[in-house]
């Protein structure tokens, strides 16, 4: 799925999103369903995926603060150090208890909108992308839903990496980001609305039929 998402050769960085309007609407609807289905008082756990080299870098504490401040109040922040510091890394042991994922990729160069994810981060992303809010942390952009990014799988085949490109005209007031943050809000107000058929959570991330 990820190898074909938004991979048309005519794509340009000079857009507000790489998702088409149908994908955006389906994503927003799916996020609203997550918020509406959450029982009052249930905790919201978000895992911040960052490589050890990133977490050991001088900017990590600042980035962690920025990410925390961008999320709704009351979100429980998890990452390698407070989950796997004293036990072996085992993603399967925690993934079903997560409500969202934030990827901190390696920026291609200062100021770039291109971020590189290693094999582990790519697998973490793939495990949640069709079910929960998954966002990229752009060092100069803030949080960007991955659905709005362009993706490309990179070699080697036995341990593929992933390249995510944030749109050049990305704006933080986007409908997709608002919907994703609402889905991660432990105190989101549940709006009364007429029940209507909702797409399966896998569909927001696939192109509509031609």
């Amino acid at each position: 799925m990820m190898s074909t998402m938004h991979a048309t050769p005519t794509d340009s960085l000079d857009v507000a999103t790489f998702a088409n309007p149908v994908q955006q609407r389906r994503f927003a609807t799916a996020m609203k369903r997550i918020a509406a289905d959450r029982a009052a008082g249930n905790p919201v756990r978000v895992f911040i995926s960052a490589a050890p080299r990133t977490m050991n870098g001088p900017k990590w504490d600042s980035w962690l603060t920025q990410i925390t401040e961008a999320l709704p109040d009351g979100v429980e922040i998890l990452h390698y150090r407070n989950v796997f510091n004293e036990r072996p890394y085992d993603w399967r042991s925690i993934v079903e208890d997560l409500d969202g994922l934030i990827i901190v990729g390696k920026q291609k160069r200062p100021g770039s909108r291109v971020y590189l994810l290693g094999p582990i981060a790519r697998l973490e992303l793939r495990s949640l992308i069709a079910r929960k809010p998954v966002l990229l942390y752009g060092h100069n952009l803030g949080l960007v839903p991955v659905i709005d990014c362009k993706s490309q799988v990179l070699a080697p085949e036995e341990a593929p990496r992933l390249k995510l490109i944030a749109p050049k005209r990305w704006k933080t007031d986007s409908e997709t980001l608002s919907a994703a943050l609402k889905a991660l809000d432990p105190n989101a107000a549940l709006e009364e609305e007429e029940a209507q058929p909702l797409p399966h959570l896998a569909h927001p991330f696939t192109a509509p039929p031609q």
Side-chain angles (χ1 to χ4, degrees):
M1 178 183 66
M2 294 300 297
S3 61
T4 59
M5 186 175 66
H6 318 318
T8 57
T10 57
D11 280 344
S12 165
L13 294 184
D14 192 22
V15 294
T17 176
F18 289 104
N20 62 48
V22 173
Q23 289 172 308
Q24 290 178 290
R25 289 195 298 270
R26 288 176 174 174
F27 178 85
T29 301
M31 294 300 103
K32 290 175 183 177
R33 168 56 66 85
I34 290 175
D37 286 349
R38 178 173 295 115
N42 277 11
V44 174
R45 300 181 177 90
V46 174
F47 191 88
I48 301 178
S49 176
R53 187 185 333 182
T54 299
M55 301 183 74
N56 292 331
K59 296 183 179 181
W60 168 247
D61 289 338
S62 174
W63 292 343
L64 184 59
T65 298
Q66 292 175 32
I67 293 171
T68 302
E69 292 177 348
L71 291 171
D73 292 339
V75 172
E76 182 179 351
I77 303 295
L78 305 177
H79 49 73
Y80 291 117
R81 285 181 177 169
N82 62 16
V83 176
F84 300 114
N85 189 42
E86 297 182 357
R87 61 189 176 107
Y89 172 79
D90 182 3
W91 181 249
R92 290 178 298 178
S93 69
I94 69 166
V95 65
E96 295 304 321
D97 294 325
L98 298 178
D99 299 286
L101 177 69
I102 295 175
I103 298 289
V104 183
K106 178 183 178 182
Q107 196 173 28
K108 189 172 182 180
R109 58 179 177 275
S112 174
R113 294 171 183 270
V114 179
Y115 294 84
L116 302 177
L117 280 58
I120 292 177
R122 175 178 176 269
L123 291 175
E124 292 172 349
L125 183 152
R126 284 173 58 87
S127 70
L128 287 174
I129 188 66
R131 300 189 293 130
K132 302 290 178 66
V134 178
L135 304 103
L136 169 71
Y137 171 66
H139 304 320
N140 304 315
L141 303 172
L143 299 179
V144 184
V146 169
I147 190 175
D148 289 308
C149 299
K150 179 178 180 179
S151 66
Q152 179 183 357
V153 177
L154 305 175
E157 293 184 1
E158 64 273 12
R161 297 172 297 139
L162 188 68
K163 178 168 71 176
L164 291 178
I165 305 175
K168 187 174 182 180
R169 290 192 282 116
W170 164 254
K171 294 183 179 180
T172 56
D173 62 354
S174 74
E175 181 183 7
T176 49
L177 179 60
S178 176
L181 293 179
K182 189 174 183 65
L184 294 174
D185 188 349
N187 305 304
L190 302 180
E191 300 178 359
E192 294 185 4
E193 56 185 11
E194 183 178 355
Q196 54 183 323
L198 297 175
H200 186 280
L201 285 188
H203 296 325
F205 309 98
T206 57
Q210 299 296 320

